[in-house]
Amino acid sequence: MRLTKLLLLLIIGLSFGAPEASAQVFGKKKKKMSSVGGFTVQEALTPEERKKAMERQLVSPVRKFINRFNFNIEKSYGYFSYKSELTDVSVVRNPRGDLLYIVPLGEETSPSNAFSNWMTDLTPITINRIDDDSQIVRTDTTSFVYSNNGRYNPLSLRVSFSLKKVDKTHLETTGEKRYLEEDLLRIGGGIGWGKMKFRNPASTQDVDPFLRNYTLPEQEISTTKMYGSITYNAYSLGDFAILADVQGGVWKTKTSQLNQELVTYDPFFNVGVMFQRSFSKYFKGYIRPSVEMRSYTIANEQVSVPHNFTIFSIDFGLLLKYPTYPRNKYKAHMVQMEHVFNGKMYRGRPFYRKQNPRYGQRRNSKKEPGSSFSIRKDKKGDKGND
């Protein structure tokens, strides 16, 4: 009995008198206060934002912007027809001196204003009296036109900005607006140089054989033009496209060839159809048949003479774009497709070749890189081949 009482007293003393010791016995620990004061709620990036961030990392925005511009160089081979319709004048041919000139209507009896050159200048000549044997044709009674033709082979440079086509299928399927590589519109401008060379040294007319032809003071006229252009992609299939191209602007001739004080140049218009082939995303070639209308007028206080040109030409052109991705100088000799290397996007081929051929590597060569031994190609029919 005494032993039992002693054991009970010992147990009671351990449980109430030594809490720290009992905690150690049963392995209990004090709870520590947390040091976290709070947290901030942030919204996750949307798929579009993640895509744009990735594009900014892979592609230079400067290159991407410059790639929207196009540089065109065109060489044309053309033919022009020339017509000059005389109005409000009388055309006179004096058989004695073989002199051809024009006078204002109403001054045929005692001309005070006569001009022998009405194409590049209004050169005055002194005519006191028209001889009785002179041939006179009044332009108010009949249509009087001098005509000629010749060649025109200009060179033109153009810069334009591309507006891309929208991928309609992708837009209808996903609702995401994505642009294709093909151009929908090109808006730009350019400058051109060329020479109009007349085939015949004299312009002809069919009204009066006695008046005969008008000898040209200039058989070659140098011209310069500046213009704006709009090009619309009307149809495309694979690497081929048909585009409608319209140009309009101002032009002038060499200062020494026409009297700039008397000449007035009308704006010109050019309409063409561009048949284009793409060799790569950055290099295209095209053929462009076109028709162009030009005119200028030589005038003073007494007479006014218009000169009209209709030009038919075929333009052979090249279009160049600044590449979106630079060449990879480390891996371009092996990878032909566009690829990511060291966190940047690169192209593997020159600008004039396609960047994404169906095969991703070069075709097998006779020698492997770094090897001086030829690669043996197994022939069909060798024994042991399956």
Side-chain angles (χ1 to χ4, degrees), residues 55 58-59 63-72 160 162 164 179-184 186 233 238-240 276-285 318-327 336-339 345-357:
E55 288 180 353
L58 295 177
V59 184
R63 277 183 171 269
K64 192 172 182 180
F65 177 74
I66 298 178
N67 176 257
R68 302 293 291 271
F69 290 91
N70 313 287
F71 176 76
N72 295 56
S160 59
S162 295
K164 300 292 185 179
Y179 294 95
L180 301 173
E181 291 294 338
E182 298 177 2
D183 294 339
L184 175 65
R186 296 177 192 153
N233 191 340
D239 293 335
F240 296 91
Q276 176 183 279
R277 186 188 188 282
S278 299
F279 299 98
S280 74
K281 292 193 297 184
Y282 316 119
F283 183 69
K284 309 176 191 297
L318 295 176
L319 183 146
L320 307 176
K321 284 178 174 286
Y322 188 75
T324 310
Y325 314 119
R327 284 291 300 274
Q336 297 187 47
M337 302 176 68
E338 292 172 350
H339 58 282
M345 194 75 179
Y346 292 94
R347 57 189 171 94
R349 310 187 96 191
F351 72 93
Y352 53 85
R353 300 186 69 182
K354 288 186 177 180
Q355 304 303 308
N356 286 315

Side-chain angles (χ1 to χ4, degrees), residues 163-231:
L163 302 177
K164 300 292 185 179
K165 280 186 175 181
V166 177
D167 191 342
K168 295 182 179 179
T169 304
H170 184 79
L171 180 62
E172 294 174 356
T173 305
T174 64
E176 179 187 5
K177 194 174 184 180
R178 186 174 69 179
Y179 294 95
L180 301 173
E181 291 294 338
E182 298 177 2
D183 294 339
L184 175 65
L185 279 177
R186 296 177 192 153
I187 303 173
I191 185 170
W193 306 268
K195 291 183 178 181
M196 293 182 177
K197 188 174 182 179
F198 289 89
R199 179 174 299 176
N200 303 312
S203 297
T204 60
Q205 50 82 27
D206 299 327
V207 177
D208 192 329
F210 293 102
L211 291 178
R212 301 195 300 277
N213 301 331
Y214 170 69
T215 303
L216 300 179
E218 292 279 352
Q219 282 192 251
E220 190 173 273
I221 299 177
S222 299
T223 66
T224 305
K225 65 178 182 180
M226 296 182 65
Y227 60 91
S229 66
I230 298 178
T231 307

Side-chain angles (χ1 to χ4, degrees), residues 301-317:
E301 296 178 354
Q302 289 78 37
V303 295
S304 176
V305 182
H307 304 269
N308 302 301
F309 300 85
T310 303
I311 304 171
F312 306 91
S313 65
I314 297 179
D315 311 329
F316 297 89

Side-chain angles (χ1 to χ4, degrees), residues 109-296:
T109 55
S110 56
S112 59
N113 299 295
F115 306 94
S116 60
N117 172 19
W118 58 85
M119 181 178 177
T120 61
D121 194 1
L122 290 173
T123 306
I125 58 174
T126 302
I127 302 293
N128 296 322
R129 178 180 178 276
I130 297 178
D131 296 334
D132 295 336
D133 55 354
S134 296
Q135 185 67 20
I136 303 175
V137 175
R138 292 173 59 95
T139 58
D140 60 341
T141 59
T142 183
S143 177
F144 196 98
V145 179
Y146 274 108
S147 60
N148 208 329
N149 57 65
R151 293 176 298 173
Y152 180 57
N153 302 325
L155 177 68
S156 179
L157 303 177
R158 189 186 341 181
V159 177
S160 59
F161 184 79
S162 295
L163 302 177
K164 300 292 185 179
K165 280 186 175 181
V166 177
D167 191 342
K168 295 182 179 179
T169 304
H170 184 79
L171 180 62
E172 294 174 356
T173 305
T174 64
E176 179 187 5
K177 194 174 184 180
R178 186 174 69 179
Y179 294 95
L180 301 173
E181 291 294 338
E182 298 177 2
D183 294 339
L184 175 65
L185 279 177
R186 296 177 192 153
I187 303 173
I191 185 170
W193 306 268
K195 291 183 178 181
M196 293 182 177
K197 188 174 182 179
F198 289 89
R199 179 174 299 176
N200 303 312
S203 297
T204 60
Q205 50 82 27
D206 299 327
V207 177
D208 192 329
F210 293 102
L211 291 178
R212 301 195 300 277
N213 301 331
Y214 170 69
T215 303
L216 300 179
E218 292 279 352
Q219 282 192 251
E220 190 173 273
I221 299 177
S222 299
T223 66
T224 305
K225 65 178 182 180
M226 296 182 65
Y227 60 91
S229 66
I230 298 178
T231 307
Y232 173 71
N233 191 340
Y235 177 79
S236 59
L237 179 63
D239 293 335
F240 296 91
I242 301 176
L243 304 96
D245 190 40
V246 179
Q247 301 175 2
V250 296
W251 71 288
K252 65 180 300 183
T253 62
K254 198 173 180 180
T255 305
S256 60
Q257 293 177 333
L258 269 72
N259 188 342
Q260 302 299 319
E261 296 181 357
L262 300 179
V263 65
T264 301
Y265 300 97
D266 297 324
F268 79 91
F269 297 95
N270 184 298
V271 179
V273 179
M274 189 180 294
F275 298 91
Q276 176 183 279
R277 186 188 188 282
S278 299
F279 299 98
S280 74
K281 292 193 297 184
Y282 316 119
F283 183 69
K284 309 176 191 297
Y286 58 87
I287 299 176
R288 181 182 178 273
S290 66
V291 179
E292 183 170 314
M293 309 297 292
R294 293 191 188 187
S295 63
Y296 71 88

